[in-house]
Amino acid sequence: FYSPFPYAFSEIFHLIGFSYIDSLKIAFITPFFLSAIGMYLLGNSFFGFGGGLISSVLYTFAPYHAIDAFVRGALAEHWALSLLPLILFALFKEKQHLFILTLSILLLSHNLTALYFLPVLLLLALTQNKIKFVKKLIVYPILLTSFFILPAIFEKNLTTVATMTQGY
């Protein structure tokens, strides 16, 4: 099950009139901006303007982002990693709509990142006394993405998931 969001996002630009290549380039560039904005907002909320700026630059230009985008071409993972700071910002500042939107996009962007990040998100919510916020709002992203999440869970025996996790 390949996550649909990054490709649906690039299709928007193709429908506007961009070529397929330019649409994919836009889809690869956009997460860099999301990373910068999200990490700035998160860093700024904890450390002020300077801390937000430094954390934004360090996160955006982390080598792993460049490897995802320019070496591996891992568009889905690139999108997922760019959303994590925005999700955390929405959690800490209790921005309901931003939390629902970004968590939904994460669930539609990269399965493994969502699988690893959700327990961390719940742990952070528990330690920050935000568990009511997350419990109340976690249902909406799951419902919004159920057209993709439910088949990925219940029909995994029809895919080659087992061969990807065995024999190392």
Side-chain angles (χ1 to χ4, degrees):
F1 287 89
Y2 221 70
S3 303
F5 181 80
Y7 306 102
F9 181 81
S10 66
E11 179 62 17
I12 291 169
F13 292 98
H14 180 255
L15 292 174
I16 290 172
F18 289 92
S19 70
Y20 285 117
I21 300 296
D22 290 338
S23 299
L24 276 175
K25 286 179 182 179
I26 293 168
F28 270 105
I29 291 169
T30 303
F32 284 112
F33 290 105
L34 282 176
S35 293
I37 293 167
M39 190 51 89
Y40 172 76
L41 291 172
L42 184 63
N44 186 39
S45 64
F46 286 106
F47 308 113
F49 174 77
L53 191 62
I54 291 169
S55 60
S56 174
V57 168
L58 291 176
Y59 188 74
T60 304
F61 293 108
Y64 195 77
H65 285 285
I67 289 170
D68 262 354
F70 304 122
V71 176
R72 294 179 54 223
L75 182 59
E77 185 176 353
H78 185 46
W79 267 92
L81 292 177
S82 73
L83 293 167
L84 300 182
L86 279 170
I87 294 169
L88 292 175
F89 171 73
L91 170 71
F92 291 125
K93 293 296 183 178
E94 295 189 9
K95 306 264 186 202
Q96 295 181 3
H97 294 97
L98 182 63
F99 184 80
I100 292 168
L101 176 69
T102 53
L103 189 57
S104 297
I105 294 172
L106 175 67
L107 291 170
L108 292 175
S109 291
H110 196 246
N111 298 340
L112 290 176
T113 303
L115 182 68
Y116 294 136
F117 183 68
L118 285 177
V120 172
L121 182 68
L122 292 174
L123 185 65
L124 280 172
L126 187 63
T127 60
Q128 298 292 320
N129 293 326
K130 308 275 188 194
I131 199 69
K132 288 181 184 176
F133 176 79
V134 172
K135 274 176 52 176
K136 180 175 84 172
L137 297 180
I138 196 88
V139 173
Y140 298 114
I142 291 171
L143 289 175
L144 286 171
T145 62
S146 62
F147 71 93
F148 173 71
I149 298 294
L150 292 179
I153 293 170
F154 293 116
E155 296 178 1
K156 68 180 176 190
N157 62 331
L158 303 173
T159 65
T160 59
V161 171
T163 62
M164 299 173 93
T165 59
Q166 298 173 355
Y168 285 102

